[in-house]
Amino acid sequence: MSSELTAKPTESELEILQILWEKGNCTVRDVHEILTRNKEAGYTTTLKLMQIMHEKGLVERDTSSKTHIYSALASQQKTQQHLVSRLIDNAFNGSAARMVMQALGNHKSSKDEIEAIKKYLDQLDQK
């Protein structure tokens, strides 16, 4: 079974995965510098989280040089699909429509986002 479905990333682990998905291969220091732009985090905490993520199979670590390089093993799309499915099942009694309406009601969407949603709904309707 793939790591996206067996390993459930915590909120902090998801923040690190987001960085790795966006930046690609990173050292702990690279990840830590990006994390501390938005919140307080100790370097040793970031290091420990990334070591745990390696044990969980969420990231891989290249130890061939003195500075270890980490990269995401969990794919962004599969992880997001899994988390959305869990959210729909747990918070919205399996209703994707209720989740979408709640999301759109709580957050201001740009005209471009609304157009993209309409286009996607039209595509679904044509299937």
Side-chain angles (χ1 to χ4, degrees):
M1 191 175 268
S2 64
S3 63
E4 296 86 28
L5 300 178
T6 56
K8 297 178 175 96
T10 65
E11 191 173 324
S12 294
E13 290 169 347
L14 274 173
E15 289 177 310
I16 291 170
L17 283 172
Q18 291 283 1
I19 292 167
L20 293 174
W21 289 328
E22 183 180 330
K23 301 291 183 191
N25 299 342
C26 291
T27 65
V28 173
R29 180 143 324 276
D30 296 334
V31 170
H32 180 70
E33 286 174 5
I34 294 168
L35 279 177
T36 57
R37 291 178 194 163
N38 300 319
K39 70 177 193 173
E40 293 258 337
Y43 177 83
T44 54
T45 301
T46 304
L47 172 62
K48 185 64 179 167
L49 270 171
M50 292 179 74
Q51 289 170 337
I52 291 168
M53 291 172 72
H54 180 258
E55 291 168 15
K56 290 171 80 173
L58 294 170
V59 299
E60 64 182 344
R61 178 175 58 202
D62 178 355
T63 59
S64 61
S65 65
K66 184 179 178 216
T67 305
H68 296 178
I69 306 294
Y70 287 80
S71 57
L73 278 176
S75 87
Q76 184 173 13
Q77 182 178 1
K78 287 194 186 291
T79 301
Q80 288 172 341
Q81 286 172 343
H82 180 66
L83 292 172
V84 167
S85 292
R86 280 191 8 219
L87 179 62
I88 290 169
D89 290 343
N90 296 335
F92 296 96
N93 284 338
S95 173
R98 284 179 40 198
M99 186 191 78
V100 169
M101 288 186 283
Q102 183 72 37
L104 292 175
N106 285 352
H107 299 283
K108 180 103 173 97
S109 298
S110 70
K111 287 185 185 261
D112 288 344
E113 289 174 321
I114 291 170
E115 282 304 312
I117 292 166
K118 286 178 182 177
K119 197 178 284 187
Y120 182 73
L121 291 173
D122 287 343
Q123 290 171 352
L124 286 177
D125 202 26
Q126 293 171 1
K127 286 183 180 179

